[in-house]
Amino acid sequence: MADHEHPPFAVTADVVAMTLVAGKLSVLLVRRAADPFAGSWALPGGFLAPDEDADAAAARELGEETGLVLEPSADGRTAGTGHLEQLRTYSDPGRDPRMRVVSVAYVAVLPEPAVAEAGSDAADVRWFAVDDLDFPLAFDHARIVGDAVERIRSKLEYTTLAAAFCAPAFTIPELRRVYEAVWGAPIDGPNFSRKVTSTKGFVVETDEHRPASTAGGRPPRLFRRGSASVLFPPLLRAGSPPAPT
Amino acid sequence: MADHEHPPFAVTADVVAMTLVAGKLSVLLVRRAADPFAGSWALPGGFLAPDEDADAAAARELGEETGLVLEPSADGRTAGTGHLEQLRTYSDPGRDPRMRVVSVAYVAVLPEPAVAEAGSDAADVRWFAVDDLDFPLAFDHARIVGDAVERIRSKLEYTTLAAAFCAPAFTIPELRRVYEAVWGAPIDGPNFSRKVTSTKGFVVETDEHRPASTAGGRPPRLFRRGSASVLFPPLLRAGSPPAPT
DNA sequence: GCAAAAGTGTTCGAAATACACCCATGC
DNA sequence: GCATGGGTGTATTTCGAACACTTTTGC
């Protein structure tokens, strides 16, 4: 390893924050004010501070936009609800027209109630359903969002990540709707319920029930997230195989 | 995003190159000559050139040590044999005592015949069985190797990556020994053979056979790598579930 | 022939799928 | 009651684990 003559790099952490909005998988975007791609939508993110690593920078940037504090752990699970994990690093020399910027991208999963669009500016921070992203994003952020969606889709199969989309207490049908929204395919309710409740550590039962909706129906039981982070055996998508990581 | 006052970062690409040596999963290490951790074993790697991205830098560094040229593609598959894919990025502020160094780590998988230790220096580049790594490595490279091993173990389950450990033409038992070496557990030969040959696109049959060994035995058929990169349904490890990515 | 290694056949049980049916609520 | 949504029971089928057994070589 040489230790001189290396060119100047800027390093950023960019976050693909995801949640369910009105039952649709959505990502958080911010409208750029400054020069390159001014007016375009982009991922929240920013430069690493001198004393912080990329995990901390991602958590900080996410907190600045959503008001939520997620402490990333080894497997991405956070102390409370939510999830924050590294996705991959994008380093194409031309990805920022100003200079050499290497971006460490993250995926965050937030429970739906936390959709608070507090943070910095008001109408310049918005959730977009991923299926509605038919306009170009700044930099290579469209590609990053695509990679993040594919990561999340694939991780629902063999981890308990779906619970990160839910509030601390949730029902089995709510969890099922997470799978249906992310995978875009219906899932058999009875079999899903059995699978989830019989997989040790996925969910833990409480003795509470959510009140039935105004449309009627049996009040569903409430569950909390279990201690397991992997799902074994996995919950495989029926049809097409997933793309590799 | 600010565009000033960001501290100077150096960005490196480090490669965890893996292959089977004498039937054991092994990683390529180089002995450091220069100052921090001089004399210690470390991963091959180096700084990104001004005009190259991390993928290209990783491929270049690997080529300088092994003489092999692997062109990384979207899913990590390379044109010929072998495999090169991004692992994750390590950015702890204290990971290099000299300065702020962010390292984009890669995993490379090479076929056993390619163990040529040509490259730069002779005895300062060596393959080590991962189970024999009971000495400390330079920087945080021990952690990176651990993450790489876990990534490879997990990817054998749901991708056709195992074939990257093999020569262009290989037998089913050879492929099975890859799984056994990486997972460290025996696999039933008959069932494995059926699973592999019945999964469309994993391997394609040739009409050649490898000559039987001197110990006798039926000569195994030769196969080549198929076009599939994902394995569906996956080939799950029997016992303990894998750690999440 | 005998040992060794590759590959096939067969059985068994666990688990996913499909779907009929029962339960508990709002109106 | 009746519609709505949650949950259980059960038959079917598919798939993997285990292992007996056949094939094809070297010696």
Side-chain angles (χ1 to χ4, degrees), chain B:
Chain B
M1 289 190 193
D3 45 358
H4 44 73
E5 51 137 339
H6 29 77
F9 285 92
V11 179
T12 66
D14 294 328
V15 180
V16 184
M18 297 194 169
T19 195
L20 257 52
V21 176
K24 302 173 81 170
L25 181 66
S26 306
V27 298
L28 188 70
L29 298 178
V30 302
R31 194 195 294 272
R32 284 185 58 81
D35 191 357
F37 300 97
S40 291
W41 293 95
L43 294 172
F47 295 99
L48 270 63
D51 59 341
E52 72 182 353
D53 64 9
D55 285 12
R60 174 177 54 75
E61 294 287 345
L62 181 63
E64 290 173 4
E65 302 296 347
T66 67
L68 283 185
V69 180
L70 295 185
E71 302 271 344
S73 58
D75 57 358
R77 286 192 61 170
T78 57
T81 19
H83 178 94
L84 180 61
E85 73 172 38
Q86 191 180 307
L87 175 61
R88 63 163 290 155
T89 293
Y90 299 85
S91 59
D92 189 80
R95 59 182 299 279
D96 189 316
R98 292 168 294 180
M99 64 171 98
R100 207 52 211 279
V101 178
V102 169
S103 173
V104 187
Y106 282 76
V107 182
V109 174
L110 306 175
E112 188 162 3
V115 187
E117 297 180 5
S120 46
D121 310 308
D124 287 343
V125 180
R126 266 196 53 193
W127 292 96
F128 289 88
V130 296
D131 291 336
D132 297 344
L133 290 178
D134 46 6
F135 50 92
L137 302 189
F139 307 105
D140 51 0
H141 289 187
R143 179 188 168 198
I144 299 177
V145 169
D147 290 350
V149 169
E150 198 40 53
R151 165 76 63 93
I152 294 301
R153 284 191 174 141
S154 140
K155 286 205 96 167
L156 286 205
E157 295 192 275
Y158 58 94
T159 72
T160 61
L161 173 59
F165 282 93
C166 298
F170 55 90
T171 70
I172 302 294
E174 283 167 5
L175 189 66
R176 176 167 53 83
R177 276 173 220 118
V178 171
Y179 277 88
E180 293 177 329
V182 174
W183 286 350
I187 295 177
D188 182 83
N191 292 333
F192 180 84
S193 176
R194 252 187 306 254
K195 171 81 180 182
V196 166
T197 52
S198 68
T199 301
K200 254 182 77 74
F202 194 171
V203 296
V204 294
E205 187 176 356
T206 73
D207 49 3
E208 304 159 285
H209 289 247
R210 196 184 287 301
S213 73
T214 59
R218 176 171 169 174
R221 283 183 299 183
L222 280 174
F223 292 80
R224 294 181 180 278
R225 198 171 176 180
S227 58
S229 60
V230 291
L231 211 53
F232 192 86
L235 196 67
L236 296 176
R237 281 180 274 183
S240 49
T245 310

Side-chain angles (χ1 to χ4, degrees), chain A residues 31-68:
Chain A
R31 195 195 294 272
R32 283 183 59 80
D35 191 359
F37 299 97
S40 291
W41 293 95
L43 294 172
F47 295 99
L48 270 63
D51 59 341
E52 71 182 353
D53 63 9
D55 285 12
R60 174 176 55 75
E61 294 288 345
L62 181 63
E64 290 172 3
E65 302 297 348
T66 67
L68 283 186

